[in-house]
Amino acid sequence: MRIATWNVAGIRAHIGALLEWLRQEKPDIVVLQETKTVDETFPRLELEALGYNVEVHGQKGWNGVAILSLVPFDEVHRGLPGDDADEQARLIEGVFSLEGGVVRVCGIYLPNGNPVDSEKFPYKLAWMERLHSFVEQRLSFEEPFILLGDFNLIPAPIDAHNPDGWWGDALFRPESLERFRSLLNLGLVDALRAVSLEPNYTFWDFQAGAWRRNAGIRIDHLLLSPQAADRLENVTVHKDVRGWDKPSDHVPVEGQFTF
DNA sequence: ATGCCGGGTACGACCCGA
């Protein structure tokens, strides 16, 4: 079973690259972020033509998440609980039945939080605290649970080409990292860190020649419950996709599991 | 210190991203 995350930076703008990657790799389940469109204009038919079941949680202009799956959905949940006034589409979860049992896959687009002196930063922190409660509840099921997506968090200095340049940014500052560690401390495993102690970047800015200079950061993560971590075989960062024509600024990150 | 680039909205110029 291969389960991937990809921030597509606008699904209508990058549908060609998405379809090409899916045709090449045929992952079983993919969570998408920054689809940037309402459900009515989501390119569902092209994805269904490749055999994917499609569930979306869209929003006009920005945000927006989705799950593509070759396995039928048992359940779908949209939105992060804990604030009825929050209208930003940043979380979608699917539950799937496999031969070996159930697997729960939750895709997130965690708020960026910049600039830190705006209301966006406290929104990020509050969103992380709601996520903490949500994950705590999910872990109580004691089943394979995969929380993956664009976390907008640089876990450690090794996860940035220029960590000093990022320090203080909403992606890499104490208040953000404290909450990220607290989330991990619930009992989640950072899958890529578990299989590799090398620098692995998943995002290169469109600006300032970041890709050419390999000035990347690792902000797209797969976090695993113990029951999922036991089944982890490997993680692949599809770095080559960043060099395609008209790419997203993020690349797909894929976990391989024995279920 | 800010913009760089790029998508979306809407069709000029701004919001948003990381």
Side-chain angles (χ1 to χ4, degrees):
Chain A
M1 171 74 46
R2 299 166 56 209
I3 303 178
T5 175
W6 193 3
N7 180 322
V8 292
I11 194 169
R12 288 177 295 167
H14 296 126
I15 185 65
L18 175 59
L19 293 170
E20 179 61 24
W21 187 72
L22 294 172
R23 277 192 288 263
Q24 286 186 15
E25 297 295 333
K26 300 180 171 55
D28 297 283
I29 300 174
V30 184
V31 301
L32 304 174
Q33 303 88 38
E34 284 206 85
T35 55
K36 294 189 177 186
T37 188
V38 293
D39 300 354
E40 291 72 23
T41 47
F42 190 98
R44 166 185 294 275
L45 295 179
E46 297 97 310
L47 296 163
E48 289 177 342
L50 296 184
Y52 286 96
N53 299 281
V54 177
E55 294 290 348
V56 296
H57 182 36
Q59 182 175 346
K60 184 175 182 177
W62 65 307
N63 298 326
V65 288
I67 305 184
L68 318 176
S69 175
L70 297 175
V71 185
F73 287 84
D74 287 351
E75 298 175 28
V76 181
H77 303 279
R78 294 172 178 81
L80 177 62
D83 181 359
D84 292 340
D86 183 3
E87 296 181 342
Q88 299 190 25
R90 296 180 176 274
L91 183 148
I92 186 168
E93 179 186 55
V95 181
F96 306 91
S97 294
L98 312 175
E99 295 99 47
V102 72
V103 60
R104 185 178 292 267
V105 177
C106 182
I108 65 165
Y109 177 43
L110 203 148
N112 175 301
N114 283 305
V116 295
D117 61 356
S118 74
E119 75 290 343
K120 293 179 182 179
F121 188 55
Y123 175 74
K124 176 181 191 149
L125 299 180
W127 203 93
M128 293 185 75
E129 284 160 19
R130 288 161 57 201
L131 182 66
H132 187 282
S133 299
F134 174 82
V135 168
E136 196 167 36
Q137 193 276 333
R138 289 308 195 239
L139 288 174
S140 74
F141 296 150
E142 301 189 351
E143 63 193 15
F145 171 65
I146 302 174
L147 178 71
L148 75 173
D150 177 357
F151 282 69
N152 273 314
L153 286 159
I154 301 168
I158 195 177
D159 299 310
H161 180 263
N162 175 21
D164 291 343
W166 282 99
W167 187 245
D169 188 280
L171 279 63
F172 193 48
R173 60 184 290 121
E175 303 92 325
S176 309
L177 296 180
E178 177 184 317
R179 284 161 181 80
F180 185 61
R181 281 195 302 274
S182 176
L183 189 67
L184 290 170
N185 288 343
L186 290 172
L188 296 170
V189 171
D190 177 344
L192 181 49
R193 178 57 34 82
V195 301
S196 171
L197 295 176
E198 301 297 314
N200 290 284
Y201 308 140
T202 66
F203 167 91
W204 295 260
D205 202 301
F206 289 123
Q207 305 180 64
W211 170 242
R212 177 177 47 77
R213 298 186 294 116
N214 193 32
I217 51 177
R218 185 174 78 100
I219 55 174
D220 300 273
H221 307 302
L222 290 83
L223 305 188
L224 313 179
S225 74
Q227 295 79 8
D230 285 347
R231 305 294 197 94
L232 177 66
E233 288 186 306
N234 204 357
V235 179
T236 303
V237 180
H238 291 265
K239 182 175 178 179
D240 61 299
V241 176
R242 186 62 178 82
W244 291 8
D245 286 339
K246 297 257 300 173
S248 168
D249 41 6
H250 297 249
V251 297
V253 184
E254 172 203 325
Q256 292 111 42
F257 299 87
T258 57
F259 46 66

